[in-house]
Amino acid sequence: MANQLIRLDDKHISVVQLQMGEDRILETYINNLSEGAPDAIYGHLRDAGFLYVARMLGGTKLDPTLISALVERWRPETHTFHLPCGECTITLEDVSLQLGLPVNGEVVTGPVLSADWSATCEQLLGKVPNKFKGSRIEMRWLEDNFKTIEASTSDIEKEQFARAFILKLIGGLLMPDKSRNLVHLRWLLLLADLKEAGRLSWGSAVLATLYREMCRATQPEKAKIGGCMLLLQSWAWYRLPFLRPRVDLPYEFPLVIWWNNPARHSGIPTELEDIRLALDQQTEEEFVWMLYTDSRIQECIPVEFLANRNIWHVKVPLIVFATVEMHESNRVMRQFGCMQRIPSSPQKLDDLHNIDLRGRLEEDWSTFHQKYIEIWQRRYDYLPTREPFLTRELATSPDYMDWFRHNGKPYLLSALERSRQRRRRRQRRGSINLRSGEHVAGRSTSAPAPHEDPIVVQPPGAYLVRPPPTIPYYMPMPPATLMYPVSSTILTFYPQSAYATPYNYPLVVSQTPPTTFFYRGGSSSQPSTHIGGDVRWATRTQTQSSTKEGDELGDQHGHAREDEDNDDEESSTQTVRRNPRRARHLPNCDTHSGHR
């Protein structure tokens, strides 16, 4: 029987480029907002579900080398990254907390064409672009025509301004395509009623788009990648501390904005081969599984984002217009604080990967993907089994890692290549000054934060890292009225531990999943609290660049073409800022001196 986890390996970039001896660095794209949302449209942004994500202003750049290394680890068969510690992925939880987008709502889909785009823009934006490219308009036109708005402006004009602002968010940050300077007007059709738009699952749409782009980027001939690269990069920096830049700021929500203008210093890998080596030598202790159990992160998350954690766990298809991608939550249960067992074989979605908007602009995707939309609508019927664990050794079943090493692809490099030395950080002893690294009067002190560690070189296999975070214990949940029917399901509650902390995932454990495509059984969307220990990690720096890419969705006749407008490509110069080592002065301990 063929290996279902790496059955597409012969067409995967990680195999092809290593055989050819050439490294491919993907061209990435981000269009940061030059101005924040004006106060006058806050209410409309809240209605549409974009209030928090509107805080994502400029400051963070993309690192195409890191993104290229992550794509090498991405498996389109399972929608997970394969690392030495097992499978991991970006989940609905990450989208919700990193971007501040709603994930529990209706599918983002429908028709993609309007009978008259000029009339649509006149009605919904109040202005008509001077030119259209198929069903798309220029981002520059939005920037030039929607810069400021007065508080005394009429409600209709505020709504129009809010729609333009959301279009800039979608086309520049959340779901950009490879055109670099265009945004599709199909999004505008969904923003006609902003309150109705707030009932859509924008977070699942962003994640489905990102999944699709990463799956396509694993093909060796691809040179560019779209989708929310900011989410991918932020996920990697949070989960893999040895790849991250240094940040001395308190956490903010959404969590992705923590990386705005991070401080730089040497010590993190910046070349593709160095990042590959760091990932191949990475251990389970160096991957932050329970990221959001950090009490410092919990404090900044709004309560409404923690009210329904069941939505993060569902194993269902993610749909956005022509795109359908599976959310394989059952393969990464450790990210939810649950035991990881050998998962069932992934469903083959190769045919769906070949379906997109090209040549099918008149399709009504709400009808075309009806069977997958119905599964999403019954999403709480497809919750995987969730088993809490008490110790780190029990985070996986005894046979899981052997199964993964045999069937998965934990390493890209040979054993000889993995034996090379890698720069690591050594644990720093606690500071005598308790205020070291704190923010005093709105200004960060010059002392390093408590989780920063000096750089040392260790031989292969020598891991000087902090102990893993405290393994969460689970508290019983009070009975709640079920919002969704749950049939043939066993609800199990676990005893309270004296070591429980305030942040706790739901304890509802569904029936053992069958070896079918979708899991049946599960629980309601009852509120819960989550438990976990304090997660501390070291920090790293990064060099980054941003590039622009060619058209993908179509020209003025509605036909799609990819890799156009190459004459507009730009690249930022990569720089590395190296700070001199600070001299450390011992205090004067001469008891015979006259100084006090």
Side-chain angles (χ1 to χ4, degrees):
M1 182 177 178
N3 188 341
Q4 295 295 305
L5 300 190
I6 55 172
R7 58 184 173 81
L8 302 177
D9 214 28
D10 58 334
K11 302 177 182 178
H12 200 281
I13 182 64
S14 62
V15 172
V16 175
Q17 76 175 359
L18 289 177
Q19 291 176 345
M20 297 175 59
E22 298 179 359
D23 293 335
R24 179 200 66 175
I25 304 298
L26 288 164
E27 296 181 18
T28 57
Y29 169 71
I30 187 174
N31 188 350
N32 286 296
L33 297 177
S34 57
E35 305 243 345
D39 296 345
I41 67 170
Y42 275 7
H44 298 299
L45 292 177
R46 182 184 295 108
D47 290 342
F50 288 87
L51 177 62
Y52 293 102
V53 76
R55 301 183 62 198
M56 293 168 51
L57 297 178
T60 302
K61 295 182 179 180
L62 298 178
D63 181 1
T65 306
L66 172 62
I67 290 172
S68 300
L70 293 172
V71 169
E72 292 177 5
R73 302 282 177 160
W74 180 256
R75 302 304 310 187
E77 306 93 336
T78 60
H79 291 160
T80 58
F81 298 101
H82 283 203
L83 294 173
C85 60
E87 291 184 85
C88 54
T89 195
I90 306 171
T91 67
L92 290 172
E93 178 184 31
D94 296 306
V95 178
S96 177
L97 302 184
Q98 294 276 347
L99 299 180
L101 282 173
V103 296
N104 189 28
E106 298 300 314
V107 170
V108 177
T109 190
V112 297
L113 279 182
S114 170
D116 186 349
W117 282 124
S118 296
T120 300
C121 290
E122 177 66 35
Q123 177 185 357
L124 299 181
L125 296 178
K127 300 177 182 179
V128 179
N130 50 7
K131 64 179 179 178
F132 294 88
K133 188 156 189 178
S135 301
R136 297 179 292 176
I137 61 175
E138 293 183 350
M139 294 282 292
R140 174 59 61 185
W141 179 83
L142 290 173
E143 289 279 356
D144 293 341
N145 287 271
F146 297 91
K147 289 184 177 180
T148 59
I149 186 172
E150 300 296 332
S152 58
T153 307
S154 69
D155 245 8
I156 293 179
E157 292 176 314
K158 291 177 182 177
E159 288 185 10
Q160 293 168 341
F161 193 99
R163 293 188 190 102
F165 189 88
I166 294 172
L167 280 182
K168 289 190 288 184
L169 281 173
I170 292 175
L173 292 170
L174 301 178
M175 290 177 279
D177 56 33
K178 302 182 188 69
S179 63
R180 308 190 315 172
N181 59 350
L182 300 173
V183 58
H184 203 285
L185 288 172
R186 69 183 184 274
W187 309 112
L188 183 61
L189 298 177
L190 298 173
L191 300 174
D193 186 330
L194 293 178
K195 290 187 177 179
E196 287 296 320
R199 299 184 176 95
L200 299 178
S201 177
W202 291 102
S204 68
V206 170
L207 190 56
T209 303
L210 178 59
Y211 280 2
R212 173 62 61 90
E213 290 294 331
M214 287 194 291
C215 289
R216 286 181 170 175
T218 61
Q219 302 171 21
E221 66 273 12
K222 298 296 182 181
K224 305 169 184 177
I225 187 171
C228 190
M229 293 294 100
L230 200 59
L231 172 61
L232 172 60
Q233 181 171 271
S234 180
W235 179 90
W237 282 349
Y238 272 109
R239 300 282 183 180
L240 300 163
F242 53 88
L243 296 178
R244 76 197 293 185
R246 167 182 168 180
V247 178
D248 292 333
L249 301 173
Y251 292 107
E252 294 185 66
F253 190 84
L255 296 177
V256 71
I257 67 175
W258 194 50
W259 306 107
N260 284 0
N261 298 312
R264 310 286 176 195
H265 66 95
S266 61
I268 66 170
T270 57
E271 300 296 331
L272 184 58
E273 60 178 338
D274 295 331
I275 299 177
R276 283 193 196 128
L277 180 63
L279 291 173
D280 262 16
Q281 294 182 348
Q282 168 255 336
T283 64
E284 184 173 353
E285 290 80 3
E286 291 180 294
F287 187 88
V288 184
W289 293 102
M290 298 289 291
L291 169 63
Y292 306 110
T293 60
D294 189 333
S295 59
R296 297 167 297 178
I297 292 180
Q298 297 169 40
E299 291 172 356
C300 73
I301 299 176
V303 176
E304 61 264 29
F305 283 86
L306 303 176
N308 175 18
R309 297 185 179 89
N310 283 332
I311 183 60
W312 298 337
H313 303 173
V314 293
K315 183 183 185 296
V316 292
L318 309 175
I319 306 106
V320 50
F321 291 103
T323 300
V324 177
E325 301 288 345
M326 278 300 300
H327 184 242
E328 298 280 359
S329 59
N330 63 311
R331 314 191 73 88
V332 294
M333 295 310 297
R334 282 179 289 178
Q335 291 182 212
F336 304 122
C338 300
M339 180 186 296
Q340 181 63 57
R341 295 187 179 274
I342 297 176
S344 57
S345 297
Q347 178 74 16
K348 294 183 180 180
L349 299 179
D350 299 5
D351 292 340
L352 291 175
H353 274 169
N354 296 326
I355 298 176
D356 53 30
L357 296 179
R358 287 177 288 188
R360 310 180 72 160
L361 296 179
E362 296 183 0
E363 192 78 58
D364 184 352
W365 298 103
S366 60
T367 302
F368 188 88
H369 290 315
Q370 182 60 35
K371 67 176 182 178
Y372 298 108
I373 294 174
E374 289 177 356
I375 294 172
W376 171 264
Q377 290 172 344
R378 295 182 290 108
R379 50 194 173 275
Y380 293 104
D381 292 342
Y382 302 101
L383 283 164
T385 299
R386 292 172 289 181
E387 304 173 78
F389 57 87
L390 299 180
T391 64
R392 182 171 62 87
E393 291 74 16
L394 298 177
T396 62
S397 60
D399 53 353
Y400 170 77
M401 287 307 301
D402 287 340
W403 167 85
F404 174 71
R405 294 188 186 101
H406 179 72
N407 294 277
K409 193 165 186 178
Y411 304 106
L412 294 186
L413 305 178
S414 66
L416 179 61
E417 292 173 311
R418 296 198 303 270
S419 65
R420 290 189 291 127
Q421 287 190 349
R422 163 187 156 202
R423 293 175 67 84
R424 297 180 180 274
R425 282 189 170 88
R426 183 171 53 198
Q427 181 175 341
R428 181 188 294 274
R429 292 179 297 178
S431 174
I432 297 177
N433 179 7
L434 298 181
R435 296 186 63 83
S436 173
E438 293 184 357
H439 293 266
V440 182
R443 177 180 59 85
S444 174
T445 62
S446 59
H451 56 269
E452 295 174 20
D453 299 324
I455 300 294
V456 296
V457 175
Q458 294 293 339
Y463 299 104
L464 296 177
V465 297
R466 291 186 180 276
T470 305
I471 299 301
Y473 286 79
Y474 290 79
M475 300 172 59
M477 295 301 302
T481 302
L482 297 181
M483 297 178 61
Y484 297 87
V486 182
S487 60
S488 64
T489 302
I490 301 174
L491 303 184
T492 305
F493 298 97
Y494 292 83
Q496 181 173 356
S497 166
Y499 301 97
T501 59
Y503 193 68
N504 171 36
Y505 281 101
L507 305 180
V508 181
V509 178
S510 70
Q511 62 186 10
T512 302
T515 57
T516 56
F517 179 15
F518 301 106
Y519 289 170
R520 294 201 52 87
S523 71
S524 69
S525 57
Q526 61 189 16
S528 56
T529 41
H530 179 242
I531 301 187
D534 186 24
V535 178
R536 300 181 183 275
W537 49 74
T539 56
R540 307 266 180 168
T541 67
Q542 196 82 13
T543 63
Q544 304 153 13
S545 67
S546 176
T547 61
K548 295 188 176 181
E549 310 172 353
D551 294 342
E552 181 184 35
L553 289 180
D555 56 19
Q556 56 187 349
H557 300 292
H559 300 289
R561 294 180 300 179
E562 187 172 347
D563 300 344
E564 297 178 358
D565 294 343
N566 291 328
D567 54 331
D568 295 331
E569 291 181 2
E570 297 178 358
S571 305
S572 62
T573 304
Q574 295 186 357
T575 60
V576 178
R577 176 180 178 182
R578 301 182 179 275
N579 296 328
R581 185 181 296 275
R582 294 171 56 90
R584 300 184 63 182
H585 301 284
L586 297 176
N588 191 340
C589 298
D590 189 357
T591 56
H592 299 286
S593 68
H595 301 288
R596 302 185 64 87

